[in-house]
Amino acid sequence: MSRLDVFINRMVSQRVCLDFAVAETKGMQGPVFELGLGNGRTFDHMREKMPEREVFVFERKVESNPASTPDPSMTILGDVRETLPAALARFGSTATLIHADLGGHNLEKNDQFARLVSPLIEPLLGIGGLMVSSDKMYFDELNPLPTPPGSVEGRCFVYRRDA
Ligand code: SAM
């Protein structure tokens, strides 16, 4: 499989999983978190699909396309290793949807980072909330869901807090 195929599968899966999570959490009260702004494509998709919900973006350095740059009041600037614990103090376990796309090209490093941030992300999600990630996560309390039809296995991961 070419790198182009892998990239396309990741993008298609990201959209399918995000749309699934948006639908599953519709009507829930609580913030939405985007971890890793990058170019701002997934942020733009999320705010388009959830205009009624607050989407906070966690990013260490904002370099997004101006057309998909969040308002500074909705941007939580800094390293997620510090901003996620601070967000727990600020929001408690109230997030309804968390999307994480923090990785780069090095799969081994991405996996190590996913292990490191999983316990920081886990307590932020409220009951019934969904977490969507480009990397496999390492949660104790969140349950993995089968990825929705149209997504490619291993290219996106979905978890839910049931209790
Ligand atoms: N989903 C985005 C999009 O659609 O454009 C792409 C996100 S990009 C792959 C990953 C982003 O995560 C980068 O902007 C990077 O700066 C950010 N990031 C990586 N590690 C981080 C960390 N420890 N703290 C904060 N942001 C981080």
Side-chain angles (χ1 to χ4, degrees):
M1 184 178 285
S2 72
R3 287 187 54 223
L4 179 64
D5 289 329
V6 171
F7 178 75
I8 289 169
N9 284 345
R10 189 163 74 85
M11 294 298 104
V12 167
S13 302
Q14 212 169 38
R15 183 177 58 190
V16 168
C17 290
L18 274 174
D19 288 348
F20 170 76
V22 169
E24 286 286 306
T25 59
K26 196 170 172 60
M28 284 177 69
Q29 296 298 313
V32 172
F33 295 153
E34 165 78 323
L35 313 183
L37 175 64
N39 185 281
R41 291 189 187 99
T42 48
F43 163 67
D44 195 44
H45 191 73
M46 290 163 74
R47 70 177 174 181
E48 184 187 291
K49 297 291 172 191
M50 300 177 278
E52 76 288 4
R53 294 162 78 176
E54 285 194 312
V55 182
F56 290 88
V57 177
F58 294 65
E59 173 58 55
R60 60 184 165 199
K61 192 163 184 250
V62 173
E63 290 178 322
S64 47
N65 185 306
S68 50
T69 296
D71 190 89
S73 66
M74 302 304 286
T75 308
I76 298 181
L77 204 57
D79 192 304
V80 292
R81 285 168 283 194
E82 290 167 12
T83 55
L84 289 171
L88 184 60
R90 176 177 170 188
F91 297 100
S93 304
T94 61
T96 53
L97 198 173
I98 303 176
H99 173 238
D101 185 15
L102 291 160
H105 296 299
N106 185 323
L107 299 183
E108 202 179 310
K109 271 193 183 166
N110 292 351
D111 185 58
Q112 281 169 11
F113 197 66
R115 287 176 191 270
L116 197 148
V117 294
S118 288
L120 306 180
I121 293 171
E122 186 163 38
L124 288 162
L125 198 65
I127 292 175
L130 261 69
M131 198 271 156
V132 173
S133 177
S134 299
D135 295 298
K136 178 177 183 287
M137 303 302 282
Y138 296 87
F139 296 128
D140 293 328
E141 298 169 0
L142 308 187
N143 297 313
L145 299 184
T147 49
S151 62
V152 179
E153 200 173 341
R155 295 287 159 226
C156 204
F157 300 84
V158 184
Y159 303 87
R160 183 168 58 211
R161 180 180 290 286
D162 293 309

